[in-house]
Amino acid sequence: MSSLIIVGADGSTTATAAIQWAADDAARMGLPLRIVTAVQRWPNDIPKFPAPEWEDAVTESAQKVLAAAEETARSGQPAIEVTTALVEGPPALVLREQEKDATEIVVGTRGLGGFAGAVIGSVGIHVAGHVRCPVVVVRPGQTGVHGEITVGLDDSDACEPALAYAFEQARLRGSTLRALYAWQVPVHIYAPEIVYDMDEFRAAHHRVVTDRLAAWRERYPGVKVIEDVRRAHPVEALSDASDTCDLIVVGSHGRGALGSLFLGSVSRGVLHHARCSVAVVRS
């Protein structure tokens, strides 16, 4: 099984940002980078109505996209190994098929085929909802380096893969890791016949975070960790944290039978509302 960083390219500004991000991560991780462009046949290509002659021009244009993308990657990280692939098929499915070779798949927030008002394109949502390896959705326009990564926690073992990814990213970057745990007061707490000790309630949530991080702190003693426990909705808390970090890492253990529903409501919400790049790590 190969170990590659896979990134999608389509000539858009968001894809260019994804290529730069993927090249930097390939350099950090010491892995080769594969840049993939998808080419779709004429949508009405049926025997009675054959594809137009300019289909070759579409392929030629895609090859130019690949060449420009490779130049972008090499100019930023000249030491990494870069290969390119032009694959026929819908972009989301093409990237899904790359999973067997991928340590990580990187996409832009919205490609050339997206709706103008969309925050996250259908390709990013689809890939993040289907593949098992980490998927990074890169938001262009990030300026400066904050030196901090934020990972979302909950009280289940399903967040362990996200913690593993986040700690390793923090180690590779020399960044501080903010472990963010957001909790909300149960609706039934407001029933007059039920009495809660709110201080004990808060203390219990802090213990969840401390216990969850204990083994990871031992495994990564060089990573500075901030335990951040907030009374808020997880999507709101993680989106707020995105203003001062370089990457948000979320786990995803949705239970839907339909593709992107595997994302779960929190990971989907963070993808749409975070102001920085987001890594979705499936459990």
Side-chain angles (χ1 to χ4, degrees):
M1 177 176 170
S2 302
S3 294
L4 302 170
I5 305 293
I6 307 291
V7 61
D10 64 5
S12 66
T13 301
T14 56
T16 298
I19 291 160
Q20 293 168 335
W21 198 100
D24 289 344
D25 218 33
R28 282 189 289 265
M29 299 174 72
L31 294 176
L33 175 67
R34 178 189 291 168
I35 304 171
V36 179
T37 289
V39 174
Q40 288 185 266
R41 288 187 177 276
W42 180 245
N44 297 321
D45 186 9
I46 56 178
K48 189 176 180 180
F49 302 101
E53 295 180 357
W54 48 260
E55 188 173 279
D56 288 342
V58 174
T59 300
E60 182 180 346
S61 176
Q63 291 170 337
K64 291 179 180 179
V65 166
L66 277 179
E70 182 177 359
E71 183 179 353
T72 295
R74 292 188 184 280
S75 64
Q77 296 292 346
I80 64 172
E81 178 185 339
V82 182
T83 57
T84 61
L86 195 158
V87 184
E88 183 178 312
L93 294 180
V94 165
L95 287 172
R96 277 181 61 185
E97 291 170 356
Q98 300 292 316
E99 180 186 4
K100 63 183 183 299
D101 298 328
T103 295
E104 173 182 276
I105 295 178
V106 184
V107 296
T109 49
R110 182 169 58 83
L112 292 176
F115 293 101
V119 179
I120 301 296
S122 59
V123 172
I125 289 290
H126 183 96
V127 174
H130 282 82
V131 304
R132 293 287 177 183
C133 66
V135 175
V136 181
V137 180
V138 177
R139 192 174 298 278
Q142 288 181 246
T143 57
V145 176
H146 297 286
E148 185 171 297
I149 292 172
T150 297
V151 60
L153 295 184
D154 58 28
D155 57 359
S156 74
D157 291 338
C159 70
E160 290 293 297
L163 279 170
Y165 181 89
F167 266 92
E168 183 63 12
Q169 281 285 327
R171 182 189 70 82
L172 291 171
R173 296 164 177 257
S175 297
T176 296
L177 180 63
R178 179 178 298 275
L180 197 156
Y181 179 97
W183 62 278
Q184 294 176 286
V185 175
V187 174
H188 62 259
I189 200 173
Y190 297 107
E193 66 275 12
I194 299 177
V195 178
Y196 278 94
D197 184 333
M198 289 302 295
D199 289 336
E200 177 56 32
F201 212 62
R202 294 188 186 93
H205 288 298
H206 279 277
R207 285 195 297 271
V208 168
V209 175
T210 300
D211 292 346
R212 178 67 62 187
L213 293 174
W216 291 105
R217 285 180 181 273
E218 291 182 8
R219 196 174 304 176
Y220 289 88
V223 174
K224 179 183 176 183
V225 180
I226 298 172
E227 295 185 12
D228 189 345
V229 180
R230 306 185 189 185
R231 180 177 167 183
H233 189 281
V235 173
E236 177 188 359
L238 288 164
S239 298
D240 287 345
S242 70
D243 287 325
T244 54
C245 70
D246 304 309
L247 178 69
I248 294 281
V249 182
V250 291
S252 181
H253 42 279
R255 298 293 184 265
L258 299 175
S260 63
L261 293 181
F262 275 118
L263 281 173
S265 59
V266 171
S267 51
R268 177 185 284 270
V270 172
L271 279 171
H272 280 286
H273 295 288
R275 270 84 70 183
C276 69
S277 299
V278 177
V280 179
V281 184
R282 289 277 296 278
S283 60

